[in-house]
Structure formats: structure tokens, C-alpha cells
Amino acid sequence: MLNKIIFEILEEQSVLKTTRTKPIVDAIKNRKKITFYYSGPRKPKKDSVKAGYRVKAEVVALGLSKKGNLVMRAYVQPPSTSKKGFEKHGWRTFMLSRMSGTNVTDEIFNEKRPGYKEGDDNGLSVTYVTTDWTNKPEVKKPRIVTQKPPTEPTKQVEPPIENPTTNVEPIEPSSLPEPKPEKTPDLTPQDTTGQDLKDKEKELYDKKKSDWVNKQKEIGGNIKPGQGTRERFKKEVKKELPQPKPEEKPSVNPEENDVEDDKNLQENIKRIKSLMLF
């Protein structure tokens, strides 16, 4: 008898501490609702359990079924999946081997559902854990971390640096060299006439170009004159403006030409005589 009791204690401790059962045990003790997916049998029959999600189930007991399977007793409601429906009651038994994706919520249930019985579950051969309604469920309080206000580092104030004073003697205005005025070159009448002509040519050229651009805009043509158009502008400008007359060379006196020819003739005679003497 004692060996049986020891075996049951060891079995209970090993069963309740597995990764599958521990979250469910905590949910039963703290009366927290759980959500999980239930797959049902591998070869379903007509009266088999329907696979699907069970949403916010209220688990009240965990133990072994009469067939030796680890099961839990829970109360489920819509929108949970159910083949029988929820008209009679919402109590269901689930095998832990067919459960997956178990999520323990923070929502607590404090209501004993219709049909609930205190103590061990008569539908189970062994009951490991049942809901204790006398204890208040553990509610994890949010941890508040108080942060200290940042302290600004103290700045060391350096003494001001004194600038050395230097005595600057004022400079009298009379001692400064005065700039010499620039001399503008004297324009000769010829230079003035040439500059005026260039200005007039440019002015007339710009006017012809402006008139041509305006005409092109009216007909929707190109407003950028080409090489031929620019040459035509230049020829028209030269025709319309009077061009300067070429400089006339001073006329040569015919008497001066005769004197020069006589000198050349005498030199040639002297050369011929010198050659004949040899």
C-alpha cells in the first residue's frame, strides 16, 4: 500500500512538470482561460470529435481517463469548434496528446459553470489537479522601472585669457601715398570713327536679328538663326551702312622719279667702266 502511494506521488510529480502539462496546471490553479487547437483522432468516425480551435476554455481538472490517457476537463463556449453544439452544456474532455498551440491568456474566470462538482472528477480514474476556488489567482503586476533623472556633468569654467595690449601708433593721412590718376588714351578722329561704325553695325545687326526672331515666333518656326542667316544679316548691315573710304596714298612727283632714275643710270655706267678696265 505504501509503495503504491509513493509510486502515485512520483508519477504525479513527473506528469505535472512536463512542457505540455505545466502551462495547463498553472492555468487550472490560477483560473486562467486557455486557447488551443484540437486535432481529433487520426481516423475520425461519424461521432468523432471535430478538429478546430477551442477559444478561451476554462480548465478545472487534469488527470487520467479510464483508458489511461492524460486528459483535462474544461468548459468551452462559442466561437469554439464543437460537433455536438452547446445547447445542453459546454463541458468537454480533451486529450493532451491531441492539443497543440496552447496559449494561456491573462483573462481570469471566477464563475462556477452549471454542472460543476467540487473535488475530484468522477469521470477520471486519477485526478492530479483541480481548481481551488478559495485561493485568489496570481496576477502578475507590471514591473515599473523608475529611471533616475540624468545628471548633467559639471563644467569647469576656465579663466578668461587676457589678450596682450599693443600700442598702435596712428598713421597720419599725409604720410600715405596717394594713387595716381589713370591716364585715358587720346582717341584720334580715325579711331573714333571706327568705333562708332562698329557700334552702329552691332546695333543694326541686333535689330535685324530681333525682327527675324519675332517673325519666326509668329509662324511657329525655329528662333535660333543658323550660320547662313547670320551671314545674311552681316551682308545687309554692310550694304545699309556707309563704309569708310580706303586711305589714299600720297601722289609721287614725276620729277623726283626722273632724278632717281638718273642716279641709278650713272651707277650702272660706273660699274660697266670698271669691268672694262680689268
Side-chain angles (χ1 to χ4, degrees):
M1 185 69 179
L2 181 62
N3 291 336
K4 184 178 180 181
I5 295 172
I6 294 173
F7 176 77
E8 289 178 355
I9 293 172
L10 293 175
E11 182 184 11
E12 181 179 348
Q13 293 296 324
S14 62
V15 168
L16 302 182
K17 290 185 177 180
T18 63
T19 56
R20 184 186 293 270
T21 59
K22 192 175 184 305
I24 298 174
V25 172
D26 294 338
I28 294 172
K29 289 181 178 181
N30 297 314
R31 300 199 300 275
K32 291 185 177 182
K33 298 180 181 181
I34 67 172
T35 299
F36 59 93
Y37 182 81
Y38 197 67
S39 59
R42 294 182 179 178
K43 296 180 180 180
K45 299 179 180 179
K46 292 182 179 180
D47 56 347
S48 298
V49 179
K50 190 175 182 180
Y53 279 96
R54 272 59 174 178
V55 182
K56 295 182 180 181
E58 300 174 5
V59 189
V60 296
L62 175 68
L64 295 177
S65 66
K66 294 179 180 180
K67 293 183 180 181
N69 296 318
L70 187 63
V71 296
M72 71 175 191
R73 179 84 65 185
Y75 187 86
V76 293
Q77 300 178 80
S80 299
T81 304
S82 177
K83 189 173 183 178
K84 297 179 181 179
F86 303 97
E87 294 180 359
K88 294 182 179 180
H89 58 80
W91 292 107
R92 300 287 188 274
T93 303
F94 300 99
M95 296 175 59
L96 269 68
S97 59
R98 296 177 181 176
M99 293 171 55
S100 61
T102 303
N103 178 30
V104 180
T105 68
D106 293 331
E107 188 174 347
I108 298 171
F109 61 94
N110 292 317
E111 181 184 355
K112 294 180 182 180
R113 298 294 182 178
Y116 175 78
K117 295 179 181 181
E118 298 285 350
D120 293 344
D121 193 327
N122 296 329
L124 304 178
S125 61
V126 178
T127 303
Y128 292 132
V129 184
T130 57
T131 302
D132 187 1
W133 298 93
T134 60
N135 294 333
K136 292 183 179 180
E138 297 178 0
V139 180
K140 293 183 179 180
K141 296 181 180 180
R143 186 179 178 184
I144 301 173
V145 180
T146 57
Q147 296 182 353
K148 296 181 180 180
T151 56
E152 296 182 357
T154 56
K155 297 181 180 180
Q156 295 180 356
V157 180
E158 297 181 358
I161 301 173
E162 296 181 357
N163 295 326
T165 56
T166 55
N167 295 327
V168 180
E169 295 181 357
I171 301 174
E172 296 180 357
S174 60
S175 61
L176 293 175
E178 296 181 357
K180 296 181 179 180
E182 296 181 357
K183 293 182 179 180
T184 55
D186 298 332
L187 295 176
T188 60
Q190 184 178 358
D191 295 337
T192 304
T193 305
Q195 186 65 32
D196 292 341
L197 182 61
K198 290 181 179 179
D199 293 340
K200 291 180 180 180
E201 288 179 351
K202 187 178 183 305
E203 183 180 353
L204 184 57
Y205 181 88
D206 293 340
K207 185 178 181 304
K208 287 183 175 294
K209 181 180 177 182
S210 177
D211 296 340
W212 182 85
V213 170
N214 293 332
K215 291 180 180 178
Q216 291 294 109
K217 287 181 179 179
E218 291 177 359
I219 61 175
N222 183 19
I223 61 173
K224 187 177 180 181
Q227 181 66 27
T229 305
R230 293 196 298 270
E231 292 295 332
R232 178 166 57 83
F233 291 162
K234 292 178 181 180
K235 291 179 180 180
E236 292 177 356
V237 168
K238 289 183 178 180
K239 288 181 180 180
E240 294 180 11
L241 290 178
Q243 299 298 322
K245 296 180 180 180
E247 296 181 358
E248 296 180 357
K249 295 183 180 180
S251 58
V252 181
N253 190 358
E255 294 180 358
E256 292 178 358
N257 289 337
D258 295 340
V259 173
E260 187 68 26
D261 294 338
D262 292 339
K263 289 182 179 180
N264 293 334
L265 180 60
Q266 291 178 1
E267 289 179 359
N268 291 333
I269 293 171
K270 289 180 180 180
R271 289 178 183 176
I272 293 171
K273 287 182 177 179
S274 61
L275 289 172
M276 293 176 64
L277 293 173
F278 288 105

